[in-house]
């Protein structure tokens, strides 16, 4: 309880080597359970390189299992060949699985083991349309994977759709009353690096392609697609809009057309298209919308879609509205939906959680002037510059990004919550306002975090 938010560390799972940084953890609200992409070490062996020997092994295995024998001169794919045990001390590689964690004890109550060399690339709980569910939609766990076999083997992946169902628990273990149920799986020609939801449909990336697929009768059917640049890392939907982050070509703002032939069309892109985007999401304040993106260097970038601005060339370019450094690589962005304001939580590799929110223009101008005063008046820790600490390094700055458009609450809030009353009044009087007015602005801004 000594942190800004209450924190509790709980050992999760049972016998696994760790939770995947790519898939991570997904929360299923219907069952109040957690699904984690975990890994455990296992020996690694190369596959049989001789195609003739691999064909004979596959034929023998098919005859023993009573399955159809491969046709003569069939080239067995490498991922289907037998291991070639060349050493008694092989290296260890991770073997991934999808684990269902109990919300009471956080132990593993069910697990789905993935194939060898199959890595989890994306996992989310999505609300997909379903005629069998009450209300027309249900929460399903969607997992995208990819096979890591080598640069000489064509990449491929799979898409999994799981549901969490209630079952009869084991005697003496009431927490085992839920199981993972595999509803659908499909192998695709590329790594499924991102999954998302758009108007009750599944959005999935397959390499550099983006597909919108409907889930009906426990089957995924594609009805719209979009060719992207290099490697899609993030897809987030909001109404009929889609935010696509590419790991090498920046951010794209995409519109979804439902009437007539369904299709995706790009509304605007980052003009420079050079940001390595890791994740992105929307920021909403009333009728205002901004785009938040986090790159692989730990920097946040704010964009806006303004087709009426002459600098956007009719909306083809996304205009930059600010930059902010978190000094740690962002793992995930999660949007909290409030009554009139959406707030994004940015989780980083060092274990910290940052909150990003839009504020009204009047509030911003008032707090910005006071923030500038405190940056000069309050003695910084160890003599460090608080502005430069949050500034993007010079060699990574974008010239088009406006400066001083992001407020640093770590500098402003401590003064008006635990600081001297005299200093509060002096800073507010220099700005032509009162300390109570400034404190009210801070409380209104942080009121959305009342969920915690």
């Amino acid at each position: 309880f000594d942190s800004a938010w209450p924190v509790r560390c709980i050992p999760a799972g049972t016998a696994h080597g760790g939770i995947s940084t790519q898939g991570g953890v997904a929360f299923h609200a219907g069952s109040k359970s957690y699904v984690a992409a975990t890994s455990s070490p296992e020996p690694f062996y190369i596959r049989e390189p001789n195609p003739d020997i691999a064909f004979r092994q596959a034929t023998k295995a098919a005859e023993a299992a009573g399955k159809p024998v491969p046709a003569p001169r069939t080239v067995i794919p490498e991922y289907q060949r037998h291991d070639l045990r060349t050493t008694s001390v092989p290296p260890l590689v991770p073997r991934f699985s999808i684990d269902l964690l109990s919300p009471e004890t956080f132990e593993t109550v069910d697990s789905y083991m993935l194939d060898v060399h199959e890595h989890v690339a994306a996992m989310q709980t999505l609300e997909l349309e379903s005629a069998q569910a009450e209300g027309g939609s249900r929460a399903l766990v969607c997992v995208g994977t990819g096979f890591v076999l080598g640069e000489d083997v064509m990449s491929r992946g799979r898409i999994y759709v799981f549901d969490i169902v209630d079952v009869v628990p084991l005697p003496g273990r009431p927490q085992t009353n839920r199981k993972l149920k595999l509803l659908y799986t499909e192998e695709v020609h590329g790594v499924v690096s991102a999954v998302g939801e758009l108007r009750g449909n599944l959005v999935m990336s397959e390499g550099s392609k983006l597909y919108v697929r409907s889930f009906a009768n426990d089957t995924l059917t594609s009805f719209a697609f979009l060719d992207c640049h290099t490697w899609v890392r993030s897809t987030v939907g909001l109404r009929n809009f889609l935010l696509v982050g590419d790991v090498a070509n920046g951010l794209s703002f995409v519109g979804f057309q439902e009437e007539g032939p369904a299709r995706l069309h790009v509304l605007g892109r980052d003009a420079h298209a050079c940001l390595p985007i890791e994740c992105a999401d929307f920021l909403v304040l009333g009728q205002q919308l901004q785009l938040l993106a986090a790159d692989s260097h730990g920097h946040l970038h704010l964009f806006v879609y303004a087709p009426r601005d002459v600098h956007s060339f009719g909306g083809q370019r996304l205009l930059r509205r600010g930059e902010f450094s978190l000094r740690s690589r962002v793992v995930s962005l999660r949007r909290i939906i409030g009554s009139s304001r959406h707030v994004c939580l940015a989780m980083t590799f060092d274990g910290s959680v940052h909150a990003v929110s839009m504020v009204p223009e009047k509030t911003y101008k008032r707090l910005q002037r006071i923030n500038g005063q405190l940056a000069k008046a309050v003695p910084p820790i160890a003599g460090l510059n608080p502005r430069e600490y949050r500034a993007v390094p010079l060699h990574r700055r974008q010239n088009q990004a406006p400066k001083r458009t992001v407020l640093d609450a770590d500098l402003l809030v401590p003064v008006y919550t635990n600081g001297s009353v005299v200093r509060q009044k002096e800073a507010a009087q220099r700005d032509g306002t009162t300390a109570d007015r400034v404190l009210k602005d801070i409380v209104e801004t942080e009121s959305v975090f009342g969920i915690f």
Side-chain angles (χ1 to χ4, degrees):
F1 291 98
D2 55 348
S3 303
W5 292 337
V7 178
R8 180 186 178 190
C9 297
I10 302 174
T14 50
H16 58 76
I19 295 179
S20 166
T21 58
Q22 300 294 329
V25 180
F27 177 69
H28 189 268
S31 61
K32 298 182 180 180
S33 302
Y34 296 88
V35 182
T38 61
S39 63
S40 56
E42 71 169 17
F44 169 78
Y45 298 96
I46 62 174
R47 299 301 178 96
E48 176 59 57
N50 193 318
D52 296 332
I53 298 178
F55 175 76
R56 290 196 295 268
Q57 292 176 345
T59 302
K60 186 181 296 183
E63 292 176 350
K67 297 181 179 179
V69 178
R73 298 183 180 180
T74 300
V75 178
I76 306 299
E78 182 172 350
Y79 65 89
Q80 295 181 358
R81 298 181 182 181
H82 290 225
D83 293 335
L84 185 63
R85 300 180 180 271
T86 57
T87 176
S88 59
V89 188
L92 299 178
V93 294
R95 177 74 180 273
F96 284 83
S97 62
I98 308 299
D99 289 358
L100 177 63
L101 306 181
S102 169
E104 292 85 12
T105 61
F106 287 91
E107 64 176 304
T108 302
V109 296
D110 192 20
S111 180
Y112 183 89
M113 185 66 66
L114 302 180
D115 286 349
V116 181
H117 309 310
E118 186 177 9
H119 290 233
V120 176
M123 182 176 67
Q124 285 192 35
T125 301
L126 306 175
E127 288 284 341
L128 302 182
E129 290 185 353
S130 177
Q132 295 85 0
E134 295 182 3
S137 64
R138 58 174 170 170
L140 300 174
V141 180
C142 300
V143 182
T145 66
F147 287 83
V148 181
L149 295 173
E151 59 183 12
D152 58 334
V153 181
M154 184 180 66
S155 64
R156 61 190 181 93
R158 282 184 183 150
I159 180 69
Y160 295 88
V161 179
F162 292 95
D163 193 9
I164 299 179
V165 296
D166 296 331
V167 296
V168 178
L170 298 175
R173 298 185 61 192
Q175 66 272 18
T176 60
N177 60 338
R178 298 179 181 90
K179 292 288 185 181
L180 286 172
K181 180 182 179 181
L182 180 61
L183 301 180
Y184 181 80
T185 180
E186 179 185 350
E187 184 171 321
V188 295
H189 299 289
V191 178
V192 182
S193 57
V195 293
E197 182 266 337
L198 180 64
R199 306 293 290 183
N201 302 304
L202 172 67
V203 180
M204 55 173 283
S205 66
E206 184 182 325
S208 61
K209 291 184 179 292
L210 201 66
Y211 293 94
V212 181
R213 312 185 68 177
S214 62
F215 187 73
N217 299 324
D218 293 342
T219 303
L220 288 175
T221 305
S222 300
F223 62 91
F225 74 96
L226 178 68
D227 287 320
C228 300
H229 286 96
T230 307
W231 184 269
V232 177
R233 191 65 189 90
S234 173
T235 58
V236 182
L238 179 65
R239 295 187 179 180
N240 280 38
F241 300 106
L242 189 66
L243 197 57
V244 181
D246 194 280
V247 77
N249 292 90
L251 195 67
S252 299
F253 187 52
V254 181
F256 175 55
Q257 175 182 315
E258 288 184 292
E259 298 179 358
R263 67 188 185 97
L264 297 171
H265 52 94
V266 179
L267 300 177
R269 299 183 190 272
D270 179 14
H272 298 274
C274 59
L275 292 176
I277 302 297
E278 283 288 331
C279 47
D281 214 322
F282 296 93
L283 285 175
V284 180
L285 176 62
Q287 300 297 326
Q288 302 178 24
L289 175 68
Q290 286 196 8
L291 315 177
L292 177 66
D295 61 20
S296 58
H297 306 296
H299 308 144
L300 297 180
H301 303 266
L302 294 170
F303 298 87
V304 65
Y305 175 68
R308 297 183 180 180
D309 195 310
V310 294
H311 298 92
S312 67
F313 294 92
Q316 298 181 20
R317 292 185 177 182
L318 297 177
L319 301 181
R320 294 178 176 269
R321 284 294 179 260
E323 298 175 335
F324 194 76
S325 178
L326 298 181
R327 300 294 174 175
S328 181
R329 184 175 178 179
V330 178
V331 179
S332 176
L333 287 175
R334 287 292 182 268
R335 179 161 42 95
I336 300 176
I337 301 177
S339 58
S340 61
R341 180 184 304 176
H342 295 191
V343 179
C344 284
L345 300 181
M347 282 66 74
T348 60
F349 265 1
D350 60 4
S352 60
V353 181
H354 304 264
V356 184
S357 172
M358 293 177 62
V359 296
E361 186 175 359
K362 291 183 179 180
T363 303
Y364 164 76
K365 291 181 178 180
R366 182 162 46 243
L367 297 181
Q368 173 62 28
R369 290 191 293 264
I370 297 178
N371 204 8
Q373 297 177 23
L374 296 178
K376 301 177 182 179
V378 178
I381 299 177
L384 301 177
N385 191 329
R387 288 184 177 178
E388 286 299 320
Y389 177 74
R390 292 303 184 185
V392 176
L394 186 60
H395 65 284
R396 299 192 185 279
R397 292 181 186 177
Q398 302 294 333
N399 297 330
Q400 293 75 16
K403 298 180 179 179
R404 299 182 182 179
T405 57
V406 182
L407 297 173
D408 188 2
D410 289 341
L411 178 63
L412 182 64
V413 173
V415 174
Y416 279 88
T417 54
N418 302 318
S420 170
V421 177
V422 177
R423 177 171 291 176
Q424 295 177 12
K425 292 181 178 179
E426 290 179 353
Q429 288 175 358
R430 291 194 189 101
D431 188 46
T433 183
T434 62
D436 293 339
R437 175 70 260 183
V438 177
L439 187 60
K440 184 178 179 181
D441 292 338
I442 296 175
V443 172
E444 290 178 354
T445 304
E446 294 187 344
S447 60
V448 72
F449 307 121
I451 187 175
F452 298 104

